[in-house]
Amino acid sequence: MRPSPSTLLRVLYRIATTAGLRLAFFGLLALVAAWEPLSQVGRTNDFRDAHLLYAYEEAGARTVATYGQAPLWNPWTCGGQYALGSPQTRVASPTVLLSAALGAHRAEAVVLWLFLVLGMEGFYRFARQRTGSAAGALVAAPFFGLAGFTAHAWSLGWLNFAGFLLLPWLLFGTRRAAEGHLEGAALVAGGFALQLGFGSSYPVPMSALFVALEAVRTLVSQPVRRSGRWRAGVWALGATALFTLGASMFRLWPLVETMRSAPRIMAGTPSHSLETVGRELLQFPSNADVGHFFFLPGALVLALGAVLARRRAAYPAVLAGLCLWLASGYAAKPSLFAALRLLPVFGTLRYPERFLVPAGLFLAELAALGFAALLLRSTRGRAWKWASGVACALAVAGIAVQVIGFSTLAGRVTLVPTPIAVDQPFAQTRGNRWAQGYFLPLNRGSIACGEAWPVPMSERLRGDLPQEEYLEDPGAGTARRVTWTPNRLEVDVDATRPTALLINQNWHPGWKSSVGEVVSREGLLGVTLPAGHHRVELRFLPRSGLGGTAVSALAWGGLALLAWAKRRRGGASPWPGPRAVAVAALPLVAMGAMWVGWHEPEAMPVLRNTDGSLLGTAELPANARVIHGRFERPVELVAAQVPSAPDARGIVPVVLYWQVRGKVPRSVGIWVHVAGPGERKTADHAVVGGTFFFRDAPRRALLRDAFALSAKDWEPGEWKVLVGLWYAGDDGARLKAFTDDGTPVPEDRFEVGTITVPPKPKP
């Protein structure tokens, strides 16, 4: 006997309104969806990115579990790295304690399950707040919480993208804060702090964008405007923003410090057609090329019912449309993604398709609205009653399909047995940038770095030293390791004359020594010592990490103080507006005092091309071809170096010398065409030397833009190298080019050299 529609609705309502049943329901869905990861705990994801990110997490877990230290310094990766300052590490999250207890491999699947439950519960609260329907929020929660990208990301080792699942909590907290509820500020501050600690480099700025829109949405809503509470809401949101900054400073300060010394530049003009965007979002992941963001198409049927909700449906519909516009990248004309990248921080975003994740959130909100609207009309007649029953059955079936889609994507992972650990003293080795997961179990540090940002690494790092701590002058005495931990080293030194103790790790200004002075020896960690016997104790005590943690503790203390004061007044009164802002600002004032009073050497960036050569130069080399080509924007192509023929490997190294004299749009890039017998090759790039957009380059400095061309497949003959500028991130038009005396140049390009490709040898 089939259950009647009213029976199904009662069951759904009972589950939705009972917290224990609801969480059990979400937990069961997450268990089934993530069964593949959970059943394979302890095995190694063999994808190259997974090796790198696993090594980060295992390093943090080992630092906590084995050495009883906070995961501040990671000696096992890239020759030694500031763990809190690396954007993709998640060792600043509470989940590192789970990794320390279970091991990083075993903890990954458990953390995934926890985030899935957290995401569904967060969406339920957000959607119930927006729709007023518990049942609608319940059935739509799995559409967002089990959307495909989290499974796809896990299969590639990108577990930090689970930070996207905190977005509904942030939106929910934003509205609660604007309405005068203190817990809303705690949710926003805690959500962003967790995202940052979890290494969510994309979710954080993208969430900030939608939180700002949600704040505006709340302030202009009718209930707030009619009650005259918008001024109080502005004060509350201002205090929430300050509390969030303070609460996040434990991670934000180290990140800012790192990005100052090693800026992360993302160029390119990624484009996706509307068809591609639609397939990524709506096509079931039946093969490896589509469905990476799978969101049940059947949920759109429920979303159509949102038209019955009228005004409530307008905002999520518009936001979903904006997300799809952003996801298309530069293919859309005009490109909203290109405009967004002009803003600070958003310029580091490279993959616009990830806006399909928040698109799924707003589509799920529409599905919740549609379902709720049908339920409201179920009492108006038999037809409406059965329509709501069909919607209920469609929702239940849709949840099952969403679970299957998630499981399908998660099952694409390639797992191999976990490497066996070897207990031996730490030492650096040359390593492998895409197999770092094999080196840490051997207690070996990899000096082959596969990061997406230019990690400052010393060229003096070695993978073949007989011992990791040694004297710069071997004849000056001896050095012997006494104690080794990630954040603390002890070395006995007997020196017959002043010398320097060198450690085979990268230098960082956070290292402090009990004797002598910590110095950088071409990026290598060193300590200058006088003659005599010394027990040198090195500790990693970074100002940004320790100071940022103190600021975050003060922020949470201030929030607790406001909660105590509100409870003392009976809990009914709203936030004290200006007073709350003053309390929220105090931790940031304390940070300013630490910045001024706590001195630490600044790690200045060493800017290099991708071939390792210095980006800046004082003068042109003697063999450079002087050009003095000018453009309609204040950029000059000063000179170029182009060899007359490829080298023995078929490689053509090219160097262009640029000088920026004024303000240049970010979209201006360099086009390089090599024209030869019947064809043309390109080497276009938007970033000078892999480091600067012209907009951000230092003024009037002589910049070396070094890159290489491969002539292995070129036809024999003469090839001309042509160079110009174009609006790479805009309409693709070339910039007008002129000679030094202002004469226009035909085709707006300069010929900078000629390459003669010799005939290929006969087999």
Side-chain angles (χ1 to χ4, degrees):
M1 180 176 179
R2 291 184 180 180
S4 66
S6 59
T7 302
L8 290 173
L9 294 176
R10 283 197 298 270
V11 170
L12 285 177
Y13 185 78
R14 177 68 184 278
I15 294 174
T17 55
T18 307
L21 290 176
R22 184 177 69 248
L23 288 173
F25 175 63
F26 290 154
L28 180 62
L29 289 179
L31 180 65
V32 175
W35 185 254
E36 180 74 19
L38 287 165
S39 65
Q40 301 287 345
V41 291
R43 303 192 74 193
T44 296
N45 187 335
D46 204 35
F47 185 65
R48 58 181 185 271
D49 288 356
H51 274 275
L52 179 69
L53 298 175
Y54 157 73
Y56 285 153
E57 184 69 6
E58 179 60 27
R62 182 179 293 192
T63 301
V64 173
T66 304
Y67 300 102
Q69 298 176 346
L72 300 175
W73 182 256
N74 177 4
W76 290 282
T77 305
C78 301
Q81 186 184 84
Y82 186 14
L84 295 184
S86 177
Q88 299 187 95
T89 61
R90 40 190 179 89
V91 296
S93 165
T95 54
V96 75
L97 300 177
L98 195 59
S99 295
L102 302 178
H105 280 307
R106 293 184 179 277
E108 278 186 337
V110 179
V111 171
L112 173 65
W113 179 83
L114 287 172
F115 267 84
L116 293 178
V117 176
L118 196 62
M120 286 186 277
E121 176 65 14
F123 180 87
Y124 168 82
R125 294 179 181 235
F126 163 75
R128 186 174 185 183
Q129 178 193 61
R130 283 301 179 190
T131 65
S133 170
L138 179 76
V139 300
F143 299 149
F144 169 74
L146 299 178
F149 185 62
T150 308
H152 173 63
W154 180 84
S155 72
L156 300 178
W158 304 342
L159 183 57
N160 44 9
F161 281 105
F164 272 123
L165 294 172
L166 299 175
L167 177 56
W169 286 101
L170 294 170
L171 301 180
F172 173 73
T174 300
R175 177 162 180 172
R176 295 287 292 172
E179 292 174 344
H181 299 282
L182 195 58
E183 69 271 18
L187 283 173
V188 176
F192 274 116
L194 182 54
Q195 277 188 338
L196 279 164
F198 203 65
S200 303
S201 55
Y202 271 79
V204 170
M206 290 169 63
S207 296
L209 174 65
F210 293 106
V211 162
L213 294 173
E214 181 71 13
V216 175
R217 176 190 188 185
T218 303
L219 291 176
V220 301
S221 63
Q222 283 190 1
V224 174
R225 286 189 288 111
R226 287 178 178 177
S227 64
R229 290 180 299 164
W230 68 270
R231 290 185 179 85
V234 171
W235 282 111
L237 289 171
T240 299
L242 292 174
F243 275 125
T244 301
L245 278 175
S248 303
M249 207 52 69
F250 73 101
R251 175 73 156 154
L252 197 56
W253 192 350
L255 284 174
V256 171
E257 179 185 88
T258 298
M259 292 299 102
R260 275 173 52 85
S261 63
R264 184 184 186 189
I265 302 296
M266 292 298 177
T269 55
S271 302
H272 303 291
S273 67
L274 189 60
E275 179 186 357
T276 300
V277 169
R279 293 180 65 196
E280 286 283 12
L281 185 65
L282 301 176
Q283 185 168 333
F284 188 84
S286 56
N287 60 66
D289 297 326
V290 297
H292 299 144
F293 297 82
F294 179 63
F295 178 86
L296 182 71
L300 298 182
V301 178
L302 294 177
L304 292 176
V307 298
L308 300 173
R310 298 174 184 169
R311 290 182 180 178
R312 284 190 175 187
Y315 182 85
V318 170
L319 264 290
L322 288 176
C323 289
L324 296 175
W325 186 4
L326 286 163
S328 65
Y330 287 81
K333 301 298 180 185
S335 172
L336 187 59
F337 182 70
L340 185 66
R341 292 181 90 185
L342 298 177
L343 300 177
V345 179
F346 291 96
T348 62
L349 302 185
R350 180 169 51 180
Y351 300 108
E353 65 273 14
R354 288 170 185 170
F355 276 97
L356 292 177
V357 178
L361 172 71
F362 296 113
L363 289 174
E365 182 184 350
L366 287 172
L369 272 170
F371 190 81
L374 290 172
L375 292 189
L376 284 174
R377 286 161 175 77
S378 62
T379 58
R380 296 184 180 182
R382 187 175 182 85
W384 282 111
K385 184 176 181 179
W386 281 100
S388 63
V390 171
C392 183
L394 180 63
V396 172
I399 290 172
V401 175
Q402 191 73 54
V403 168
I404 295 170
F406 187 98
S407 180
T408 300
L409 284 166
R412 291 176 177 173
V413 64
T414 301
L415 297 171
V416 297
T418 300
I420 298 175
V422 177
D423 186 13
Q424 59 181 333
F426 170 82
Q428 300 284 5
T429 188
R430 293 191 63 82
N432 184 309
R433 62 185 298 178
W434 297 128
Q436 295 200 27
Y438 292 107
F439 291 90
L440 196 140
L442 302 174
N443 205 19
R444 289 292 179 260
S446 172
I447 60 176
C449 191
E451 255 297 358
W453 56 283
V455 179
M457 293 180 62
S458 172
E459 294 183 355
R460 296 181 66 176
L461 288 167
R462 296 275 299 276
D464 58 351
L465 291 174
Q467 63 183 55
E468 297 293 288
E469 301 83 22
Y470 59 97
L471 297 183
E472 188 173 36
D473 178 2
T478 60
R480 180 180 64 86
R481 177 190 292 181
V482 177
T483 302
W484 186 94
T485 67
N487 298 328
R488 178 176 170 272
L489 305 172
E490 283 190 16
V491 183
D492 267 343
V493 175
D494 284 299
T496 58
R497 54 182 178 268
T499 187
L501 169 67
L502 299 183
I503 312 295
N504 194 31
Q505 294 187 45
N506 293 316
W507 171 84
H508 187 278
W511 282 105
K512 307 294 186 289
S513 176
S514 61
V515 184
E517 179 185 3
V518 176
V519 294
S520 170
R521 286 291 196 260
E522 299 176 58
L524 199 69
L525 177 60
V527 184
T528 57
L529 298 170
H533 175 79
H534 308 287
R535 171 66 62 87
V536 181
E537 182 180 2
L538 277 163
R539 289 180 177 271
F540 187 62
L541 303 169
R543 178 183 65 171
S544 59
L546 301 181
T549 301
V551 172
S552 295
L554 286 173
W556 286 113
L559 200 57
L561 179 65
L562 285 179
W564 174 80
K566 186 174 181 181
R567 183 176 181 183
R568 189 178 181 186
R569 292 193 301 271
S573 58
W575 287 38
R579 188 182 309 168
V581 172
V583 171
L586 282 176
L588 301 179
V589 173
M591 175 183 166
M594 280 189 279
W595 186 281
V596 173
W598 186 349
H599 298 287
E600 186 175 87
E602 186 173 2
M604 298 303 294
V606 179
L607 304 178
R608 297 182 181 276
N609 287 280
T610 54
D611 64 355
S613 61
L614 290 173
L615 180 66
T617 182
E619 57 184 16
L620 292 174
N623 62 343
R625 177 177 178 176
V626 178
I627 297 170
H628 288 306
R630 300 181 182 275
F631 296 88
E632 61 181 278
R633 298 291 185 174
V635 178
E636 179 182 353
L637 177 57
V638 180
Q641 286 178 285
V642 179
S644 59
D647 64 16
R649 300 170 299 163
I651 302 300
V652 181
V654 178
V655 182
L656 304 176
Y657 293 87
W658 300 95
Q659 198 169 54
V660 181
R661 300 179 179 274
K663 188 176 180 180
V664 182
R666 184 185 186 273
S667 60
V668 171
I670 304 161
W671 62 265
V672 179
H673 293 174
V674 188
E679 57 180 323
R680 175 172 291 184
K681 307 293 183 179
T682 62
D684 304 343
H685 51 286
V687 180
V688 182
T691 303
F692 287 121
F693 291 100
F694 280 117
R695 183 192 67 176
D696 305 317
R699 301 292 185 263
R700 299 190 178 278
L702 195 58
L703 305 174
R704 297 179 72 259
D705 178 24
F707 55 95
L709 307 170
S710 175
K712 294 179 180 179
D713 61 343
W714 294 7
E715 292 295 325
E718 191 176 85
W719 294 74
K720 294 181 179 180
V721 182
L722 310 173
V723 175
L725 299 181
W726 66 314
Y727 292 103
D730 201 346
D731 59 5
R734 293 184 182 182
L735 275 68
K736 299 295 183 183
F738 308 91
T739 61
D740 194 24
D741 61 4
T743 303
V745 176
E747 300 184 42
D748 299 310
R749 87 285 189 280
F750 297 95
E751 183 180 329
V752 299
T754 302
I755 305 164
T756 301
V757 177
K760 296 178 182 179
K762 294 182 179 180

